[in-house]
Amino acid sequence: MFTGIIEEVGHISGIKNGASSVRLTIAAKKILTDVGIGDSIAVNGTCLTVTQYTDKSFSADVMPESVRKTSLGELKQGSLVNLERALKVGSRLGGHIVSGHIDGTGTIIEKKPEDNAVIVTISADKGLLRYIVKKGSVTIDGISLTVVDADYAEFSVSLIPHTASITTIGQKNTGASVNIETDILGKYVEKMLLMQKAESPQLSKINAEFLSKNGF
């Protein structure tokens, strides 16, 4: 479990491609101070398991499913990546609850300055956008962000100068791919409603009428 608060930016120092998998070696500093075999580290928002480490880098295997669902397969030697260690019990939850399980990727289609901020607009599949709501939380390349606006084709987030300067998203240009993890709460609510509808059509009808009357 993570918070979406990036601890440092590392870089890819080694790549070993399998048939449909990838083994990454990532150079870092801060997150290696207490690293151990089997630890979870979010790399651009993707939860990976440490399989080997030195005082300068760690290695992790990216399975085929993660290659398909994320942009990790696009990384090259020297690529910069956002890094965050797993949440420690008792720490402040500065971002929001992040699982490190990427739902899919999106594409940056616009970056527009607005006073001290930068508005980043990202296009994504409708299957992802259904879980992204205005003023809700979303994780982009491991960064916990608040949604400025959203429709059925794209959504936007706003970057403060600090976020733009200490993460990779500030350096990405239009056309770049980003990993997206939608808010986990929305997916659980949807699953419960679907199960409820299947088990009790009458109760589902009552809930639908209640939501409609209250403007949802």
Side-chain angles (χ1 to χ4, degrees), residues 1-61:
M1 197 66 68
F2 306 90
T3 69
I5 304 300
I6 303 305
E7 295 188 86
E8 73 171 306
V9 171
H11 71 269
I12 303 299
S13 60
I15 300 176
K16 184 177 181 180
N17 293 305
S20 54
S21 64
V22 180
R23 181 176 176 81
L24 298 175
T25 299
I26 301 166
K29 293 181 181 178
K30 182 177 180 179
I31 64 164
L32 297 176
T33 56
D34 60 353
V35 71
I37 299 297
D39 282 356
S40 294
I41 295 177
V43 179
N44 278 356
T46 310
C47 179
L48 299 180
T49 300
V50 176
T51 58
Q52 189 175 354
Y53 68 91
T54 67
D55 59 348
K56 295 182 179 179
S57 67
F58 71 96
S59 297
D61 294 308

Side-chain angles (χ1 to χ4, degrees), residues 4 35 60 65 71 78 80 86 89 131 153 163 193 202:
V35 71
E65 173 66 6
S71 62
L80 300 178
V89 175
Y131 302 111
T163 301
L193 290 175
Q202 182 59 33

